[in-house]
Amino acid sequence: MKLRTLSLLAAVLLAGGAQAVTFAWDDTIMTMESGVDEDLRFSAGTDFSVALVFSNEDNILDENLKVLQVSNKRAGNYKSGGSFLEVKTDGSVYNRGKGGNYQEASISFDGLPQGENVIAFTADYTALTNGKWQLVYSVYLNGDLVNTYTDMDASGINYVRTGLGDSTLYYGEGLAAPSDMVILLPEPTALALLALGVAGVALRRRV
């Protein structure tokens, strides 16, 4: 039984490592400054993913800072004249659709882990019959899906902003998988998350 479990562990680790490199993160990985817009120039209809790696060593969960925002216009003073989605460290999410309608949803990080974390967005565009776009955001924390949010009249998302200094931004066209996000975490955090998943699979097989 122990041999089977070890074999399963090795297989899953290999599979996880292989899957983690399937998403082509852009070669230009940026160090984000607090409050500065980065123009990624994703056009309307282009699926994309962005992920920000940041540290919670200073208990930023209680400071209500903006972890990550994507928008179709330059934000300027933390506000945007267009549609955007933003996640703050207190767990709140704001989804402002075209026309200025805000949607706010409270989410629970269930205690933002100390050390390195990764918040990620995937943006899935769908063409509508009226010639407009529907954009469905999925928000992830450390590879776990937090929630999804829909913008029904979306235009191109061009700008990314964070309220956390010296954070590392990864981005690319297409929809990243949860394993692609977890692998961005520095070791040994990524290995610990993979090990938890492996332990769950092994326990399920034994049951």
Side-chain angles (χ1 to χ4, degrees), residues 84-188:
F84 67 83
L85 181 78
E86 70 178 30
V87 176
K88 293 186 175 181
T89 54
D90 66 353
S92 61
V93 176
Y94 294 86
N95 181 20
R96 183 184 192 276
K98 188 174 181 180
N101 296 320
Y102 282 88
Q103 299 176 23
E104 179 180 355
S106 295
I107 60 177
S108 174
F109 292 141
D110 193 26
L112 193 64
Q114 291 290 305
E116 298 296 319
N117 292 272
V118 55
I119 280 282
F121 295 154
T122 62
D124 188 355
Y125 276 96
T126 301
L128 303 178
T129 55
N130 58 4
K132 298 180 179 180
W133 297 100
Q134 171 183 284
L135 192 160
V136 178
Y137 296 102
S138 296
V139 180
Y140 294 86
L141 171 64
N142 297 332
D144 292 327
L145 179 64
V146 175
N147 213 333
T148 59
Y149 305 88
T150 302
D151 186 351
M152 287 301 297
D153 190 7
S155 54
I157 299 297
N158 298 319
Y159 297 100
V160 177
R161 162 181 286 238
T162 182
L164 310 175
D166 298 325
S167 302
T168 304
L169 180 75
Y170 298 80
Y171 60 94
E173 293 186 0
L175 302 178
S179 58
D180 299 317
M181 302 164 194
V182 171
I183 207 67
L184 298 177
L185 289 169
E187 305 298 349

Side-chain angles (χ1 to χ4, degrees), residues 19-140:
Q19 187 178 8
V21 297
T22 57
F23 184 77
W25 296 106
D26 195 282
D27 290 336
T28 307
I29 308 302
M30 293 183 291
T31 300
M32 296 284 286
E33 297 180 34
S34 176
V36 176
D37 294 299
E38 295 288 352
D39 187 357
L40 303 183
R41 299 188 181 276
F42 289 117
S43 60
T46 301
D47 295 339
F48 68 90
S49 302
V50 296
L52 190 79
V53 177
F54 61 97
S55 177
N56 186 32
E57 293 175 359
D58 296 323
N59 296 313
I60 60 174
L61 183 64
D62 299 326
E63 297 181 25
N64 194 25
L65 297 174
K66 182 176 299 183
V67 181
L68 190 61
Q69 180 192 72
V70 290
S71 63
N72 74 328
K73 291 185 178 181
R74 190 175 295 278
N77 298 322
Y78 282 81
K79 295 181 181 179
S80 173
S83 60
F84 67 83
L85 181 78
E86 70 178 30
V87 176
K88 293 186 175 181
T89 54
D90 66 353
S92 61
V93 176
Y94 294 86
N95 181 20
R96 183 184 192 276
K98 188 174 181 180
N101 296 320
Y102 282 88
Q103 299 176 23
E104 179 180 355
S106 295
I107 60 177
S108 174
F109 292 141
D110 193 26
L112 193 64
Q114 291 290 305
E116 298 296 319
N117 292 272
V118 55
I119 280 282
F121 295 154
T122 62
D124 188 355
Y125 276 96
T126 301
L128 303 178
T129 55
N130 58 4
K132 298 180 179 180
W133 297 100
Q134 171 183 284
L135 192 160
V136 178
Y137 296 102
S138 296
V139 180
Y140 294 86

